[in-house]
Amino acid sequence: MRPFRKFWLTAGVLIAMLAFWGLIRLVFPALDYYPPEQLLARLERSGFVTAGLRDVIVAIYAGCALVFMTVLFTIFQARWPGRGVVKGFVFGSFLSVIWAIAFLMGWGFLGMSLQAALKNGIVDWVGLAAAGSAIGLVAGTNTKGTAAAISWPAVSLVGLVFLVVYFIGASLFAGVFPSSTDLLRLPSRSIQFLLLLALGLWCGLMFAVLRESLPFANRWARAAFFAFGVFGHSWAWFHLFFVIEFAGVLPLVLTTGLIGAVSAFAGVVGGELALTARRGGG
């Protein structure tokens, strides 16, 4: 397919998928996102909300999410064995599960009902997985090869290191944002620790699947690309949604995004070191 035609076809798919994703919540208002009462009680609504621009900004936000996903996917998908549409579906699902776990943290940290957390996670999984499949269909390639073997001990190590580093990072910034440790995702109860561990394990699984396909031969550069690009952008972008809903939270949500990305980097580096030790060096 010619590059010019491929560009416009991809753009058309993104617009169609954005419309599909938005229509789910528009046609079924019960599936729309509503901030937890705990946040509504203590935070001021943003200028976007008071000016009646929330829906417009949300559409731009969702469109940017799809563009970021497309750009990242096209960077490495040609080296990823498999059919384009399947790879797109898997990648969209990878990112959507990060958001699903983040919604479950809304239940675990912010008092959102479990039903609402699951509902929002499923809606965004449908949107991102469908968009990923469509992007894989038009922009992906069918690549021959064998899927990378998954080292479950390495995945577990990534999850554990992620949890420890995240806890340390959130604890350090708790003094800067003393009234918002819930938005920092600083755990204090068992379910909160378990949710962060689940996020770390998911990070480890994503890296295990994508590792051989990622750019950069240098393992540290590869780990940084994954942690700050693939995983970190999705974690941070999810939390930037709070800026649409509430005023004065940008420094807080950027910090939360950074802590997640740094924790992912630390976890992935730990996983890389474990794989190197297992293979006897290199």
Side-chain angles (χ1 to χ4, degrees):
M1 187 183 296
R2 294 178 179 177
F4 185 76
R5 182 185 176 190
K6 189 174 184 179
F7 171 81
W8 286 111
L9 184 58
T10 303
V13 165
L14 287 176
I15 293 171
M17 289 298 100
L18 178 61
F20 167 73
W21 195 7
L23 280 173
I24 295 175
R25 297 185 185 273
L26 183 64
V27 174
F28 304 100
L31 297 180
D32 201 359
Y33 171 77
Y34 298 96
E37 293 293 332
Q38 182 175 319
L39 294 181
L40 290 171
R42 77 168 195 260
L43 295 177
E44 179 184 351
R45 298 311 297 270
S46 72
F48 301 127
V49 175
T50 56
L53 297 174
R54 178 187 180 275
D55 291 346
V56 174
I57 302 302
V58 168
I60 295 172
Y61 168 92
C64 289
L66 296 184
V67 170
F68 294 154
M69 180 173 70
T70 303
V71 171
L72 287 167
F73 179 72
T74 55
I75 287 174
F76 64 83
Q77 66 84 25
R79 294 183 292 274
W80 185 5
R83 296 178 58 196
V85 64
V86 175
K87 293 185 292 187
F89 172 81
V90 171
F91 190 60
S93 297
F94 273 159
L95 301 184
S96 68
V97 171
I98 296 173
W99 286 23
I101 296 173
F103 274 122
L104 286 172
M105 289 181 181
W107 163 64
F109 286 83
L110 300 172
M112 175 186 284
S113 72
L114 180 59
Q115 180 183 6
L118 292 172
K119 174 191 69 178
N120 280 283
I122 292 171
V123 168
D124 283 346
W125 172 76
V126 170
L128 289 172
S133 300
I135 292 165
L137 184 64
V138 301
T141 55
N142 297 331
T143 306
K144 293 182 179 180
T146 304
I150 296 175
S151 170
W152 293 107
V155 170
S156 300
L157 180 61
V158 172
L160 289 171
V161 173
F162 179 96
L163 173 62
V164 171
V165 174
Y166 196 100
F167 178 74
I168 293 171
S171 298
L172 290 174
F173 280 98
V176 181
F177 306 103
S179 62
S180 299
T181 55
D182 48 3
L183 279 175
L184 272 179
R185 314 302 195 186
L186 175 60
S188 60
R189 296 185 290 118
S190 58
I191 186 61
Q192 297 170 344
F193 281 98
L194 286 173
L195 286 168
L196 278 170
L197 177 60
L199 182 64
L201 291 171
W202 189 251
C203 172
L205 179 61
M206 287 176 60
F207 184 70
V209 173
L210 300 176
R211 179 177 181 270
E212 299 299 330
S213 309
L214 297 172
F216 304 109
N218 180 278
R219 60 189 176 189
W220 311 124
R222 183 172 57 211
F225 175 83
F226 172 82
F228 292 94
V230 178
F231 178 89
H233 103 273
S234 186
W235 172 253
W237 197 248
F238 175 90
H239 287 86
L240 277 173
F241 192 87
F242 288 111
V243 176
I244 300 175
E245 297 285 0
F246 301 106
V249 298
L250 180 59
L252 171 61
V253 298
L254 289 177
T255 301
T256 303
L258 180 62
I259 294 172
V262 170
S263 302
F265 179 71
V268 166
V269 166
E272 286 278 11
L273 291 173
L275 287 172
T276 300
R278 184 180 180 185
R279 294 168 182 171

